[in-house]
């Protein structure tokens, strides 16, 4: 197996940012094959080296999943000659060439974006058969009304004639709503409001299936926790390829 930098490997496993990892290593809490390692650039072979943090073995996971709080102004693509992409938005220690975004948020949309190295999982989550809810906070240019809620609940006829699945609109402010949809058509939320004569001026995805954005700051990213990964595979009715590994993932407290 290819050798990788120790800080990158620990970053992928959820042990913290590059700066946090420097502290962890400096404190002598990491061993490789029994020897304390303090240099973050040490090259290790995840398949061969016995890596421990605070005496607990670090489990090497086959797949890697990242939750990004996508900022507005970056496009959901892996590479682009002109515009910054969600890959550019990831911190160095979480960037990997085989990560793919699951679905798409518009350039101006913020919020929860999942990236994964598991193409099968990505494919399943993008299938129209994956009916897990996606929740968006939307601000619009005109006051929201109960008639909008009723229209969303019945399914909205978009301007191209497509009628959406029933959706939920909670009015959380005069011009602010929480929208829950169970599909992911192109520009869906913006087009649903447009069909009601309203323009979305701000859009943020706050949840997708079992994943919740929470208080992750805008522009920040983190690996999914083991619990989130398990819930995601369950929601996709797929076996978790990392679940059969018996040793628990070591995650030191406070990191
Ligand atoms: N609906 C939209 O209109 N845009 C997004 O980015 C996501 C959902």
């Amino acid at each position: 197996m290819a050798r990788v930098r120790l800080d990158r490997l620990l970053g992928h496993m959820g042990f913290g940012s590059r700066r946090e990892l420097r502290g962890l290593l400096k404190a002598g809490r990491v061993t490789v094959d029994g020897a304390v390692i303090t240099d973050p650039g040490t090259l290790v072979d995840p398949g061969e080296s016995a890596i421990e943090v605070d005496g607990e073995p670090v489990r090497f996971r086959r797949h890697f999943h990242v939750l990004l709080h996508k900022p507005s102004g970056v496009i959901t693509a892996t590479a682009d000659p002109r515009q910054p992409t969600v890959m550019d938005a990831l911190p160095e220690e979480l960037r990997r060439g085989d990560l793919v975004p699951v679905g798409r948020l518009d350039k101006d949309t913020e919020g929860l974006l999942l990236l994964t190295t598991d193409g099968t999982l990505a494919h399943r989550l993008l299938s129209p058969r994956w009916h897990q809810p996606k929740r968006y906070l939307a601000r619009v240019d005109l006051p929201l009304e109960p008639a909008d809620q009723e229209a969303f609940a019945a399914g909205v006829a978009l301007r191209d004639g497509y009628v959406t699945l029933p959706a939920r609109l909670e009015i959380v402010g005069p011009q602010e709503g929480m929208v829950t949809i169970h599909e992911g058509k192109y520009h869906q939320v913006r087009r649903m409001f447009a069909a009601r004569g309203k323009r979305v001026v701000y859009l943020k995805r706050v949840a997708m299936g079992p994943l919740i954005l929470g208080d992750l700051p805008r522009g920040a990213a983190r690996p999914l926790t083991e619990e989130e990964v398990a819930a995601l595979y369950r929601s996709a009715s797929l076996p978790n390829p990392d679940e059969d590994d018996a040793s628990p993932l070591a995650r030191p407290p406070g990191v």
Side-chain angles (χ1 to χ4, degrees):
M1 197 170 284
R3 279 148 67 85
V4 291
R5 283 178 62 106
L6 184 56
D7 58 352
R8 259 179 100 77
L9 181 73
L10 292 174
H12 288 176
M13 298 301 146
F15 283 92
S17 68
R18 229 173 176 182
R19 192 174 52 76
E20 289 166 332
L21 290 171
R22 270 202 304 276
L24 194 74
L25 286 151
K26 210 167 154 199
R29 293 166 62 189
V30 182
T31 59
V32 177
D33 297 327
V36 171
I37 300 292
T38 54
D39 177 3
T42 303
L43 293 177
V44 292
D45 182 336
E48 294 291 327
S49 317
I51 303 165
E52 295 187 353
V53 175
D54 293 334
E56 292 287 330
V58 173
R59 192 176 87 183
F60 174 64
R61 285 189 259 179
R62 208 168 312 165
H63 281 297
F64 176 51
H65 321 271
V66 175
L67 195 154
L68 167 70
H69 184 159
K70 178 192 171 298
S72 133
V74 305
I75 61 166
T76 310
T78 48
D80 189 88
R82 279 174 298 276
Q83 305 189 72
T85 70
V86 290
M87 285 299 165
D88 301 316
L90 289 181
E92 224 277 313
E93 69 270 14
L94 296 183
R95 234 175 264 162
R96 249 173 80 159
D98 51 351
L99 274 175
V100 290
V102 177
R104 196 173 285 258
L105 290 179
D106 300 336
K107 186 174 175 185
D108 295 339
T109 303
E110 298 186 341
L112 190 159
L113 184 74
L114 172 69
L115 298 103
T116 180
T117 59
D118 187 348
T120 306
L121 176 68
H123 188 258
R124 186 65 72 90
L125 298 178
L126 291 172
S127 148
R129 292 203 315 271
W130 192 70
H131 280 310
Q132 293 277 321
K134 297 181 189 131
R135 263 165 86 77
Y136 295 85
L137 177 71
R139 269 183 222 126
V140 293
D141 63 342
L142 292 169
L144 291 169
E145 299 149 357
D148 297 320
Q149 290 179 296
E150 286 155 25
F152 275 44
V156 178
L158 302 181
R159 285 174 179 166
D160 63 2
Y162 175 77
V163 180
T164 69
L165 291 176
R168 184 177 156 87
L169 170 64
E170 297 155 70
I171 299 179
V172 295
Q175 292 178 208
E176 198 167 275
M178 194 65 85
V179 182
T180 307
I181 58 175
H182 293 83
E183 56 192 334
K185 303 283 175 212
Y186 180 66
H187 287 335
Q188 180 158 343
V189 175
R190 293 176 201 274
R191 291 199 294 150
M192 287 172 80
F193 280 109
R196 300 289 309 156
K198 292 172 177 134
R199 190 169 63 84
V200 171
V201 295
Y202 173 80
L203 191 60
K204 173 176 165 179
R205 181 154 66 192
V206 296
M208 183 175 109
L211 306 179
I212 293 168
L213 183 63
D215 54 10
L216 187 69
R218 183 185 294 125
R222 62 169 177 82
L224 292 193
T225 65
E226 234 185 331
E227 293 72 27
E228 287 172 323
V229 173
L232 199 58
Y233 279 97
R234 261 199 312 276
S235 82
S237 306
L238 282 175
N240 178 354
D242 287 309
E243 212 154 58
D244 50 3
D245 192 327
S247 62
L249 172 71
R251 182 190 289 272
V255 175

